[in-house]
Amino acid sequence: MKHLIFIKFRSVKIAVMTICLFGIFFGISGMRVKADEPLIIVIDPGHGGENLGGEYGQYREKDLTPIVAEAMKEELEKYEGVEVYLTHDSDVDMSIKDRAAFAGEKNADFLFCLHFNMSVNHNLFGAEVWVPATDTYYSKGYSFAQIQMQHFEDLGLYLRGIKTRLNDRDENYYGILRYCTQEGVPAVLIEHCHLDHPKDQPFYQEGETQWKELGIMDATAVAKYFRLKSEILNVDYSDYPVQEIPVPVDIVRPDDTEPELSSIEVTNVNEETREVTVMVSAEDPDNYILYYEYSIDGGNGYSEFMEWPRTTWNSSLKTNTFTITVPYDQPVDLRVKVYNGFDLFTESNIISLEAIPDPERLKREAELAAQEERRRQQELADLSEAPLYDGSEEEGLDKIRQEMKEFPVEERLEQEQETDSVWYVLVLLILILAAMIFVAFFMARKIDLLLKDKKRR
């Protein structure tokens, strides 16, 4: 019985080992077959047809993305073992779902969706990559996006980050990522820069040559991610250090909270140059600080967005010191906003500064005061020439000076006018009294004559 059990156990062991060997063999064979198969890349130029995408000035997004995509395709085709397809190669309307279905039909290893950005208030700038929020689609997308971020940084673009975004059903917000996930195709959405911001315009406004350079840059990032090599380009990325990102166990949600800290202090005020130096402290434990802006009227109006200093694209410094020039003769209520990678902000405390006096105004006021003093001195000199006092000339001048100090010119003029009025009334009263006396004398004389004439009769 024991012998039979041993035989059965041995048979099961052999069977298990046989299955494992077959599994290993076919697994290795599968890997080899897969290695011999070409890498399938699908590039999706954003927009097309009546869907213009972003428009700014003479530039339309649907005109830029096909040129970038074609340059990316041509560059990738120079690498070994790669097949590259465009979702569309003409200016046509194509639904997002059809673009993803095209990638699924081609059994694509990856889809790269190319775009240019714009913001509602035309205040955002920089490049970003949107990735799916779940499973290996997130880890593969994020792993590639880190390489793309490095290329953006080398080009000189400000990095807005690698992000996920969800709709109200907890699905990928961007349709191309949502439908590609349904098709089983890893995908990312690349936003190269903002068409509507002066800081980003130098990266695309030189024309088609510059757009093609963006496509070549994207292709190089793809080649590094897949560790490709090219004899034509004389490059070999077989050993490129691609960072592996762990597969998340749950949905990777975007940060929906504002920065926890935004605090300011004024470290220096230079009244000669009107320069105020401000130190801002900011923290966001769930994210990083992306932009800051300042206000000098307590938050009613703000400056344009400025870059927050960061050690890497996803790691910001805790403090930032900057200098601003404030206007003369205007009290300042200083306030700062800081924004994280998802454009959520926190306002700082307010610091009130007294107005810095305008030196030109002070100079004009000093000149006017000097002119007034010269005028008063001239009046003093004129008054000193008249012998108004009995004592010595020096005593008279001292008394005049004292009166000049006690009574400003305006008060003296007013007093002189009041004195003149009193004299005028007095003279008038004297004349009236004299006239009355004259009339009374005349009437008395007449009466006397009448009385004498009556006696004679």
Side-chain angles (χ1 to χ4, degrees):
M1 183 70 178
K2 290 181 180 179
H3 183 68
L4 290 173
I5 292 173
F6 175 76
I7 291 174
K8 288 182 179 179
F9 175 77
R10 186 177 179 184
S11 299
V12 170
K13 185 176 180 182
I14 292 172
V16 170
M17 290 178 65
T18 302
I19 292 171
C20 291
L21 288 173
F22 271 100
I24 293 172
F25 174 77
F26 283 110
I28 293 173
S29 299
M31 289 172 64
R32 287 177 179 173
V33 170
K34 183 67 176 176
D36 293 337
E37 292 177 354
L39 176 71
I40 307 299
I41 300 296
V42 172
I43 303 171
D44 178 37
H47 307 286
E50 294 184 1
N51 185 353
L52 307 181
E55 291 184 87
Y56 192 78
Q58 61 181 327
Y59 300 97
R60 300 185 302 182
E61 188 177 3
K62 78 157 191 173
D63 297 331
L64 275 67
T65 54
I67 295 173
V68 177
E70 184 61 37
M72 183 180 179
K73 178 177 182 294
E74 290 178 3
E75 184 74 4
L76 277 173
E77 288 174 337
K78 296 175 183 177
Y79 290 87
E80 299 172 10
V82 182
E83 288 184 9
V84 188
Y85 299 93
L86 299 177
T87 56
H88 59 284
D89 56 7
S90 59
D91 185 15
V92 295
D93 286 293
M94 187 177 187
S95 72
I96 301 297
K97 194 169 186 178
D98 287 344
R99 297 170 194 239
F102 176 86
E105 291 169 2
K106 295 297 182 184
N107 196 25
D109 293 284
F110 220 112
L111 178 141
F112 299 93
C113 184
L114 310 183
H115 283 266
F116 288 82
N117 218 338
M118 284 184 64
S119 61
V120 175
N121 297 318
H122 309 299
N123 56 348
L124 305 181
F125 57 89
E128 60 195 2
V129 179
W130 296 93
V131 300
T134 57
D135 302 324
T136 58
Y137 303 104
Y138 171 82
S139 57
K140 289 179 179 180
Y142 201 100
S143 184
F144 163 77
Q146 290 190 110
I147 302 172
Q148 184 75 27
M149 284 288 109
Q150 186 61 56
H151 280 269
F152 280 146
E153 188 172 35
D154 293 342
L155 189 62
L157 281 159
Y158 190 57
L159 306 185
R160 284 179 48 82
I162 305 169
K163 307 174 186 178
T164 64
R165 187 177 180 184
L166 304 174
N167 60 21
D168 55 6
R169 298 183 300 277
D170 271 355
E171 300 171 333
N172 289 305
Y173 174 85
Y174 293 106
I176 193 67
L177 303 182
R178 184 169 64 253
Y179 292 126
C180 278
T181 298
Q182 293 175 7
E183 293 285 345
V185 177
V188 295
L189 190 155
I190 302 172
E191 294 280 9
H192 289 87
C193 61
H194 285 71
L195 299 177
D196 57 342
H197 199 283
K199 286 193 174 183
D200 281 0
Q201 288 166 355
F203 296 99
Y204 76 89
Q205 285 190 340
E206 293 180 11
E208 289 193 18
T209 300
Q210 202 171 25
W211 307 344
K212 291 178 180 179
E213 290 173 354
L214 291 174
I216 294 171
M217 176 192 70
D218 296 341
T220 306
V222 174
K224 289 179 178 178
Y225 173 71
F226 285 106
R227 297 187 174 98
L228 304 178
K229 61 182 179 179
S230 170
E231 291 186 1
I232 298 174
L233 299 174
N234 194 28
V235 295
D236 187 350
Y237 297 119
S238 301
D239 297 324
Y240 190 82
V242 179
Q243 183 177 358
E244 299 295 331
I245 304 299
V247 177
V249 296
D250 199 358
I251 297 174
V252 180
R253 299 180 181 279
D255 182 14
D256 60 358
T257 60
E258 300 82 6
E260 286 189 359
L261 174 67
S262 178
S263 177
I264 62 171
E265 61 177 293
V266 173
T267 59
N268 186 58
V269 177
N270 188 327
E271 294 194 357
E272 293 184 0
T273 61
R274 294 178 292 147
E275 291 182 336
V276 176
T277 303
V278 185
M279 186 178 74
V280 191
S281 299
E283 291 183 17
D284 190 330
D286 302 319
N287 210 272
Y288 48 88
I289 305 301
L290 185 63
Y291 306 118
Y292 73 95
E293 58 181 351
Y294 66 86
S295 171
I296 62 173
D297 59 6
N300 294 317
Y302 276 91
S303 67
E304 63 181 3
F305 280 11
M306 287 171 282
E307 301 175 8
W308 184 273
R310 293 182 286 173
T311 53
T312 60
W313 69 264
N314 60 351
S315 177
S316 53
L317 296 178
K318 292 185 177 180
T319 61
N320 175 30
T321 300
F322 64 95
T323 300
I324 61 175
T325 302
V326 300
Y328 284 128
D329 293 336
Q330 179 180 322
V332 172
D333 291 323
L334 190 63
R335 195 170 205 176
V336 172
K337 275 184 187 178
V338 295
Y339 293 77
N340 66 15
F342 288 87
D343 304 321
L344 302 174
F345 68 86
T346 298
E347 285 187 299
S348 74
N349 53 304
I350 297 177
I351 294 181
S352 298
L353 303 175
E354 294 183 358
I356 298 176
D358 185 352
E360 290 297 323
R361 176 183 58 77
L362 295 178
K363 182 179 178 181
R364 290 193 301 270
E365 290 178 354
E367 290 175 351
L368 291 173
Q371 292 176 5
E372 178 64 17
E373 181 61 25
R374 287 194 295 270
R375 186 179 66 81
R376 292 184 179 185
Q377 291 296 332
Q378 184 61 47
E379 289 182 355
L380 177 63
D382 294 341
L383 290 173
S384 66
E385 294 177 358
L388 301 177
Y389 301 97
D390 291 336
S392 66
E393 182 179 354
E394 187 61 32
E395 291 176 353
L397 290 175
D398 289 340
K399 196 166 185 180
I400 291 172
R401 293 191 187 98
Q402 184 63 32
E403 290 181 354
M404 289 290 291
K405 291 180 181 179
E406 294 177 356
F407 302 102
V409 174
E410 293 81 359
E411 293 184 14
R412 295 201 307 274
L413 291 174
E414 185 177 346
Q415 290 180 358
E416 290 174 2
Q417 291 175 355
E418 291 177 357
T419 303
D420 291 343
S421 299
V422 171
W423 279 107
Y424 175 78
V425 173
L426 185 58
V427 170
L428 184 60
L429 290 174
I430 292 172
L431 290 175
I432 293 172
L433 182 58
M436 290 175 64
I437 293 171
F438 176 77
V439 170
F441 178 79
F442 178 78
M443 291 299 294
R445 179 67 177 168
K446 284 291 186 180
I447 292 171
D448 183 59
L449 291 176
L450 289 172
L451 290 174
K452 289 181 179 179
D453 185 60
K454 186 177 181 180
K455 289 179 179 180
R456 285 196 298 266
R457 291 179 181 178

